[in-house]
Amino acid sequence: MGDSHFPPKKKRRKSAVKKKKVVTSRLQKRQKSPRRASASVNPVSEEVQLEGIELTASLETRLQELRGTLASEAPVAKADTTWTQRQVLAGVRAKLARPLLLDAKLSAQRALQETCQKCHEEEAVIRCLECVPLDFEYLCGKCDIEVHRRHVFHGRVAIFHGYLEPIPPTKAVVVDGNGQPHFSEQVCQLPMPAQTVICGCTEEAEVTTGRHIAVVTINGRYEMCLPRKVCSCCTTEWTPGVKDLLQYNYWPSTTNCQTLYSFDVFEAFSNMKLAAPSLSRHAFLKLLEHQSVRGGRTGKICADMFQKSYFEYCLCKHTEDTMSEVDPFCCPACQPDMLAVCCDGNRKHYRFKKSRGTEEPSLYEGLFIAKDDEVLAFQENIRGSSGARANDNGTCGVSRFRASKEASKKSSSKIDEEGIQVAVCRHGILLRGLNHYRGEIFAYPMFLQKELGERANVTFFCMDVVCRYWPYLSKVVDEFPDLQPLMHMRPFLSVMHAKAHTAKCEVRWGGRNQDGAGEHSWRGS
């Protein structure tokens, strides 16, 4: 029975021979006509067309062809070259350019023997790249003193020692009796004009150097002297005061102007704090000190003095903006009609009683964080005059929300403020905030909602427990007619928070189903 399923042995042997012949013929055909390269092969092994030049798979051959292509400035690739091939070519070009770049960088550090480009007589001992637009790149010792008396912040290097040596502005190069150049100390005045008339005398007063000060710019610390003007007849003396220094963008650290900060330092620090909030003050000052060392200068920058001066500068700038009616906590893209405002709290933003500092009022009191007495008065008014209370169980389906408890008690621990509530727009701009003393009760977001409703026309009010907050708000509004404009806003539950609510709550309060937002807004457009 089993033999009936198999052919005879001779027939099976013939079929095997025939199959072997077919395989052999196919292999011979493949050897005669090789298959075209697949599109999925590595681009390095593919052939690249460069204006009729065919690059082979050998790396050395491709490098030689690319050298000739770069030398003749031929076009890089054809229009149909893929992104991957362009990246391969860019990598090959970078590899070819590395020795050239290293060679050029090392040759740029040579101290060349040049003639002074100002007097065209003496041998140059100073090189200043910042004087290149003035055609005074190479200067002798005398011309250097003459030129950089007015440009004290230029970064100069000495070239007479056989190498490029950065030198501070307090160093000059003089030639001794043997004709050898060497360093000598010089006094640098702060680059600012002296007052024209200081007294009623007819004789012109002489400008001399005053007391030594420190000037901090974005390039580090400099040792300078204040200009001093003295009348030889009546001995009237003039030195620049705070008003004169501020006119030329120098901020004094103290009233005696012992240390000056250029405005660009404070502006750079503000911009860096916005771009990198985790950047510390000490790290920024270390950067300035490193810049000083690179310029051949030394000297530490006091971190505490810098902080105090920076705070005073910010306060002065804020006062100026207030006089100009500039609101720092305002989103220009949301004014005057604000589409959405999101409010949420953080109960673990602790501030302790023992670290409250001085009893002096805050310089920015009420600017962003609302005054505590105003929030407390609003809270007591709502809780004392209204019979509305929030649901204390704080549940929505199987989820339990601690933020929806209106009857939370004040913390009895050593914490002064146990949290913070913040309202932001849909662009993430901070608008308003307040301190927590009783947990995330509903009176806090209601206060922020009232504050923002008076400043702009808000369409949606977003909150993580809006399904509990909005019924409570409707009960409060019934007893306080002045809060009726709050109901003109529409409740909004974000997609992320809606996943923790019930399906019914997600459909009713979710932003995806709100008219003017989500899918409705997309379909309408």
Side-chain angles (χ1 to χ4, degrees):
M1 184 176 179
D3 295 338
S4 61
H5 293 280
F6 298 96
K9 293 184 179 180
K10 292 183 178 180
K11 292 184 178 180
R12 281 188 287 171
R13 188 175 299 172
K14 288 181 179 180
S15 62
V17 174
K18 185 177 180 180
K19 186 175 181 181
K20 185 176 181 180
K21 289 181 178 180
V22 172
V23 173
T24 306
S25 62
R26 287 182 179 178
L27 290 175
Q28 292 176 356
K29 288 181 179 180
R30 288 184 181 179
Q31 293 176 358
K32 292 180 179 180
S33 58
R35 293 178 60 186
R36 185 174 299 176
S38 176
S40 60
V41 232
N42 193 341
V44 178
S45 63
E46 293 182 355
E47 295 181 356
V48 183
Q49 300 294 333
L50 290 177
E51 290 296 322
I53 302 175
E54 183 177 355
L55 301 180
T56 62
S58 174
L59 181 59
E60 292 298 328
T61 306
R62 292 179 63 185
L63 291 178
Q64 293 177 3
E65 297 290 347
L66 281 174
R67 288 193 188 99
T69 304
L70 294 174
S72 60
E73 297 183 356
V76 178
K78 292 184 177 180
D80 57 347
T81 305
T82 62
W83 179 87
T84 308
Q85 291 172 345
R86 292 198 300 271
Q87 295 302 310
V88 172
L89 293 177
V92 175
R93 282 195 221 98
K95 185 178 294 186
L96 290 174
R98 284 171 195 164
L100 178 62
L101 293 175
L102 179 60
D103 231 12
K105 188 177 186 306
L106 293 177
S107 63
Q109 298 178 5
R110 293 184 301 172
L112 303 177
Q113 297 295 328
E114 298 284 344
T115 307
C116 177
Q117 295 179 349
K118 183 173 175 58
C119 64
H120 302 285
E121 296 178 359
E122 301 291 335
E123 183 180 349
V125 293
I126 294 294
R127 184 191 182 195
C128 180
L129 295 179
E130 297 185 53
C131 289
V132 170
L134 304 175
D135 294 332
F136 294 152
E137 178 181 356
Y138 293 96
L139 298 169
C140 63
K142 295 180 180 179
C143 296
D144 170 62
I145 296 175
E146 180 182 352
V147 171
H148 289 105
R149 183 182 291 115
R150 293 166 293 179
H151 305 287
V152 294
F153 293 121
H154 281 194
R156 305 173 302 147
V157 291
I159 59 176
F160 62 88
H161 281 163
Y163 57 90
L164 304 180
E165 180 183 359
I167 58 176
T170 54
K171 277 188 179 181
V173 179
V174 296
V175 180
D176 56 10
N178 299 327
Q180 297 297 324
H182 62 89
F183 292 122
S184 68
E185 297 294 328
Q186 67 175 354
V187 179
C188 295
Q189 289 187 10
L190 188 68
M192 59 178 301
Q195 187 174 335
T196 307
V197 179
I198 62 173
C199 62
C201 300
T202 57
E203 294 187 7
E204 185 178 355
E206 182 183 0
V207 180
T208 59
T209 57
R211 58 190 178 88
H212 292 264
I213 60 170
V215 181
V216 180
T217 68
I218 195 61
N219 291 324
R221 172 175 169 152
Y222 294 84
E223 299 295 335
M224 297 285 171
C225 289
L226 288 175
R228 177 172 172 263
K229 201 170 187 180
V230 181
C231 179
S232 57
C233 297
C234 61
T235 65
T236 303
E237 181 179 336
W238 171 89
T239 53
V242 175
K243 187 177 180 180
D244 301 315
L245 295 173
L246 290 178
Q247 187 176 358
Y248 293 95
N249 295 340
Y250 294 111
W251 185 268
S253 60
T254 55
T255 54
N256 60 358
C257 305
Q258 190 63 34
T259 302
L260 302 181
Y261 298 95
S262 179
F263 282 9
D264 58 352
V265 179
F266 292 151
E267 294 298 331
F269 184 64
S270 299
N271 295 332
M272 293 188 70
K273 289 294 288 183
L274 290 177
S278 59
L279 176 71
S280 66
R281 179 180 73 256
H282 294 275
F284 179 74
L285 296 182
K286 287 293 183 183
L287 172 64
L288 297 183
E289 293 175 358
H290 179 68
Q291 291 288 96
S292 302
V293 174
R294 288 191 58 187
R297 294 168 271 114
T298 58
K300 294 292 184 179
I301 303 176
C302 181
D304 294 338
M305 185 179 296
F306 176 83
Q307 183 180 26
K308 293 179 181 179
S309 302
Y310 175 71
F311 285 166
E312 292 295 334
Y313 172 80
C314 292
L315 178 61
C316 184
K317 189 176 180 180
H318 165 67
T319 308
E320 181 183 356
D321 293 340
T322 304
M323 296 171 62
S324 303
E325 298 182 355
V326 177
D327 189 1
F329 298 99
C330 176
C331 179
C334 291
Q335 294 295 330
D337 297 325
M338 197 171 294
L339 180 62
V341 169
C342 181
C343 185
D344 203 354
N346 183 2
R347 290 194 61 184
K348 294 186 178 181
H349 193 77
Y350 302 136
R351 276 89 75 205
F352 296 92
K353 295 180 181 180
K354 61 181 180 180
S355 60
R356 294 183 64 180
T358 62
E359 297 296 331
E360 298 181 1
S362 173
L363 298 175
Y364 301 95
E365 187 176 7
L367 177 61
F368 173 70
I369 298 180
K371 297 181 180 179
D372 295 335
D373 52 355
E374 295 180 359
V375 178
L376 181 60
F378 177 81
Q379 172 191 338
E380 295 298 332
N381 186 27
I382 294 298
R383 293 176 58 86
S385 304
S386 174
R389 291 292 183 272
N391 190 359
D392 287 340
N393 56 20
T395 58
C396 181
V398 295
S399 302
R400 182 176 181 86
F401 302 101
R402 298 181 61 184
S404 62
K405 287 191 174 185
E406 173 63 17
S408 61
K409 299 180 180 180
K410 185 174 182 178
S411 175
S412 58
S413 63
K414 298 180 181 180
I415 297 174
D416 187 24
E417 296 103 4
E418 64 171 4
I420 189 172
Q421 184 108 194
V422 177
V424 299
C425 70
R426 63 193 182 100
H427 302 104
I429 304 297
L430 300 177
L431 302 175
R432 194 67 165 153
L434 55 84
N435 289 319
H436 278 178
Y437 287 95
R438 304 181 64 91
E440 295 185 64
I441 60 177
F442 285 152
Y444 291 154
M446 191 183 303
F447 178 84
L448 296 178
Q449 185 182 4
K450 179 181 72 69
E451 291 277 313
L452 297 176
E454 296 173 355
R455 293 167 53 181
N457 183 23
V458 182
T459 304
F460 295 103
F461 187 77
C462 311
M463 195 176 176
D464 53 351
V465 287
V466 72
C467 60
R468 298 292 176 184
Y469 169 73
W470 211 257
Y472 172 79
L473 175 63
S474 60
K475 295 178 182 179
V476 174
V477 167
D478 292 340
E479 299 191 18
F480 293 90
D482 56 329
L483 299 178
Q484 186 63 35
L486 301 184
M487 298 301 297
H488 297 166
M489 303 182 192
R490 284 183 283 172
F492 190 99
L493 184 62
S494 66
V495 177
M496 182 189 70
H497 291 111
K499 298 303 180 183
H501 292 252
T502 61
K504 181 180 178 181
C505 182
E506 182 178 359
V507 172
R508 180 181 179 185
W509 307 97
R512 182 175 296 176
N513 302 314
Q514 296 285 349
D515 187 16
E519 294 181 356
H520 288 266
S521 176
W522 177 78
R523 290 173 183 173
S525 60

